[in-house]
Amino acid sequence: MYGLFLLTALWVTSRIWADPAGRVASLYSSDPAQVQFFLAHSVRVVLHGEFPFYTDQFNYPDGVNLMANTAILALGIPMVPVTLLFGPAVSFVTLVTLGLAGTAAAWYHVLSRHVLRHRPAALVAGWFCGFSPAMLAHANWHPNIISQFLLPFLVWRALVLTRTTRPVRDGALLALLVTVQAFINEEILLFTALGIGVFLLAMLAQQPARWRSAWRPLGAGLAVCAALAGALLAYPLYVQFAGPMAYHGLSDAVRDYGNDLAAFVTPGSATLGGNQRANANLAPNYSEENAFFGWGLTLIAVGIVVWLRREPLVRALAATGLFFAVLSLGERVSWWDRDLVTGPWQLLVRLPLLDAVVPTRFGMITSVVVGVLLALAVRRALALRLPDRRTVRTLTSAVLAVALLPIAPMPLQVVSRPAVPEFITSGRWRPYVGAEQTLVPVPVPSMGNTNGMRWAASANLDFKIPGGYFLAPRNGNTGDPGQFGGRPSGFGDLLQRVSKTGRADRLDERQRRRSLDELRHWRAAVLVLPVGQPNAEPLRRTVEQVAGPGRRELDVWVWDVRRLTEPRGPRPRATAR
């Protein structure tokens, strides 16, 4: 079974594996570059002892709070050998592949050995939890979200606390799982805790007598878990919420992301029956297709609940899945992009912790619930005592085919991306850039243009860059609400505009002075423009108005601006690293 999961994950990522450095999933391309930057940072943490939770290697000089940006240390540090040998692009696609296969395998393992003890039923659940439309959508650019291989163990160990005779041991074990998951993705950890809480409340509401035997071991185990995990995570969380470049609450651009009601009955874009064009406006973007079960699976899931409604477990699962499906609709409930009513999420969106949640992702909890419901139905169906067992197996297989075939995983669509310039890969940049200076890619790295981040990652972050794609407090003021990117940059915005439009305006003296002031703020040593960059010629003319004539070197245009940006006094020598 585990080999089947791995082969399926390789099938999904096969087009990226054909050229990891030159291809990226076509639905979006910014997050892979960010993740590759974080993978290179993990290498520096291991080899150079760099501080793991903050860096100024991008967004120089303000830097970036990595604890508040999901720096995936629990994934990046084990991947250091792969990153060193093959580069961060290969590490990225490896993480995506193992995230999908590992999540499916983990659910299969826990359900088959500790919960259902029924391999065919566990296989169905593991398959769906590992390769659901939501997982396929996030596979485009979120390895931290699809790496859910600890979640089945978190759920299982949390439920064990309700009946344990060794709450200290089991609470400590749960704390270790919580700690590791926090360094993979805190949002998924929060979802897991919320899902377990709602499920337990739904079970106790039906069977209140269970509380009398469960509350003591559960309370003791959770106390041990909270104390140990709190001690292990205290400093990282302090940095996240009170350290440099900490922010409070997500950007307004994503806080109201919600699912359209029609998303639940539509196949995902990355599935056999999916249609990317038909799915437009049903999710915030194609990487956030967190429902998309299709009509067949939706109706079958409802039918399973009706069929097995006498089982308290099924009723509790149904209540949990429905609760989070409703929350995933966001602040406005819509049907085919037409607003209907205000959603309940509007009442919760400003609560602490929840103000940092992307509501559409609550649909991933519903996906897990649907996977477990499928497993319970398969186990019950195959246990029916009917004379013709072959007919039962055939009917069960037919129902699963109707439910799962339209949302069967397909290879991720990819596009080519520009190669890292030879000027970077050959190390020709090194004579220009000192330890506390920056290499400025043209255009300046931003949410919509992350090529410069890939350059830095390919060079093991040996040079700093301004800008980048990350979350930071508004205007660089620690504690303010979050936004994508750092302080506003007139020069950066100018180059971005020229890159998009191809129009190079003549700058006045005021614009030139402000652009030079920003270069000085960044301690820029050299500006680098790839010759093959789209609209390279108008970009070159624009930069020349600020920094003077450039020089062609290998496959880039280079502007040595140290004489314009260094403070008065001797020029600092560049260091060979």
Side-chain angles (χ1 to χ4, degrees), residues 444-575:
V444 179
S446 64
M447 181 178 180
N449 175 34
T450 54
N451 289 330
M453 296 181 68
R454 291 194 298 114
W455 301 0
S458 71
N460 300 316
L461 307 190
D462 283 347
F463 59 81
K464 303 176 188 290
I465 59 174
Y469 172 43
F470 52 89
L471 278 163
R474 293 177 186 172
N475 300 316
N477 297 320
T478 296
D480 280 1
Q483 67 175 17
F484 287 107
R487 300 175 189 268
S489 167
F491 187 53
D493 291 344
L494 169 66
L495 295 178
Q496 191 67 30
R497 186 166 61 251
V498 175
S499 176
K500 289 182 178 179
T501 65
R503 295 194 300 271
D505 299 329
R506 183 172 295 278
L507 306 184
D508 58 30
E509 186 60 28
R510 183 182 181 187
Q511 288 174 307
R512 284 194 290 269
R513 285 200 310 269
R514 288 189 172 183
S515 297
L516 280 172
D517 285 343
E518 288 192 9
L519 292 176
R520 294 186 185 104
H521 178 68
W522 295 335
R523 297 206 63 188
V526 62
L527 283 78
V528 179
L529 169 64
V531 173
Q533 164 77 31
N535 293 318
E537 183 58 24
L539 282 167
R540 183 181 67 82
R541 293 199 304 269
T542 300
V543 174
E544 285 186 342
Q545 295 182 64
V546 176
R551 183 177 68 257
R552 174 75 181 266
E553 190 164 345
L554 296 179
D555 52 352
V556 300
W557 289 100
V558 176
W559 288 266
D560 184 348
V561 295
R562 287 174 289 181
R563 62 182 178 81
L564 299 174
T565 61
E566 288 176 358
R568 293 181 179 179
R571 173 183 293 182
R573 298 178 60 186
T575 57

Side-chain angles (χ1 to χ4, degrees), residues 164-415:
T164 184
T165 58
R166 303 176 69 179
V168 174
R169 182 204 65 178
D170 291 329
L173 179 58
L174 182 61
L176 296 178
L177 292 170
V178 166
T179 302
V180 176
Q181 179 59 43
F183 288 109
I184 297 176
N185 186 274
E186 291 174 313
E187 187 177 39
I188 294 299
L189 176 60
L190 177 61
F191 286 169
T192 304
L194 293 174
I196 293 171
V198 172
F199 172 77
L200 287 176
L201 289 175
M203 286 294 293
L204 292 173
Q206 300 175 79
Q207 300 175 326
R210 286 195 172 194
W211 180 244
R212 288 193 292 272
S213 61
W215 76 269
R216 289 183 184 276
L218 179 62
L222 289 180
V224 171
C225 176
L228 180 56
L232 294 172
L233 294 172
Y235 181 64
L237 292 178
Y238 167 78
V239 174
Q240 177 176 346
F241 292 107
M245 296 298 285
Y247 61 86
H248 295 160
L250 284 180
S251 164
D252 293 338
V254 298
R255 193 174 60 188
D256 63 346
Y257 276 8
N259 289 325
D260 192 293
L261 279 170
F264 289 92
V265 295
T266 304
S269 295
T271 61
L272 179 62
N275 185 324
Q276 183 175 329
R277 292 184 179 179
N279 290 358
N281 300 322
L282 296 185
N285 54 58
Y286 293 116
S287 74
E288 296 289 352
E289 293 188 354
N290 293 296
F292 292 84
F293 302 130
W295 275 110
L297 180 57
T298 300
L299 294 176
I300 287 170
V302 173
I304 291 172
V305 173
V306 174
W307 176 34
L308 303 179
R309 64 187 181 278
R310 296 184 182 278
E311 297 186 19
L313 174 60
V314 171
R315 293 197 296 267
L317 286 169
T320 304
L322 180 62
F323 178 81
F324 289 106
V326 171
L327 288 187
S328 77
L329 301 176
E331 296 182 66
R332 294 178 300 278
V333 179
S334 60
W335 172 256
W336 288 105
D337 202 28
R338 183 178 301 173
D339 289 350
L340 301 176
V341 296
T342 299
W345 180 244
Q346 192 175 59
L347 303 175
L348 305 174
V349 66
R350 299 190 183 280
L351 295 178
L353 295 183
L354 295 183
D355 63 355
V357 164
V358 182
T360 175
R361 296 176 184 173
F362 282 122
M364 302 191 80
I365 303 177
T366 304
S367 288
V368 171
V369 168
V370 170
V372 177
L373 286 173
L374 286 172
L376 293 172
V378 168
R379 184 179 67 172
R380 173 64 71 86
L382 296 181
L384 291 174
R385 296 183 179 180
L386 297 177
D388 190 352
R389 299 295 300 276
R390 181 177 299 177
T391 301
V392 172
R393 290 194 293 269
T394 301
L395 288 175
T396 301
S397 300
V399 170
L400 289 175
V402 170
L404 300 180
L405 190 59
I407 57 172
M410 296 296 290
L412 300 176
Q413 298 294 316
V414 298
V415 294

Side-chain angles (χ1 to χ4, degrees), residues 107-126 129 156 163 308 311 313-314 317 368-380:
W107 279 109
Y108 170 76
H109 177 87
V110 170
L111 290 174
S112 64
R113 297 195 179 190
H114 303 291
V115 181
L116 301 176
R117 302 182 186 277
H118 191 282
R119 290 189 176 183
L123 172 62
V124 172
C129 290
W156 169 46
R163 61 180 187 276
L308 303 179
E311 297 186 19
L313 174 60
V314 171
L317 286 169
V368 171
V369 168
V370 170
V372 177
L373 286 173
L374 286 172
L376 293 172
V378 168
R379 184 179 67 172
R380 173 64 71 86

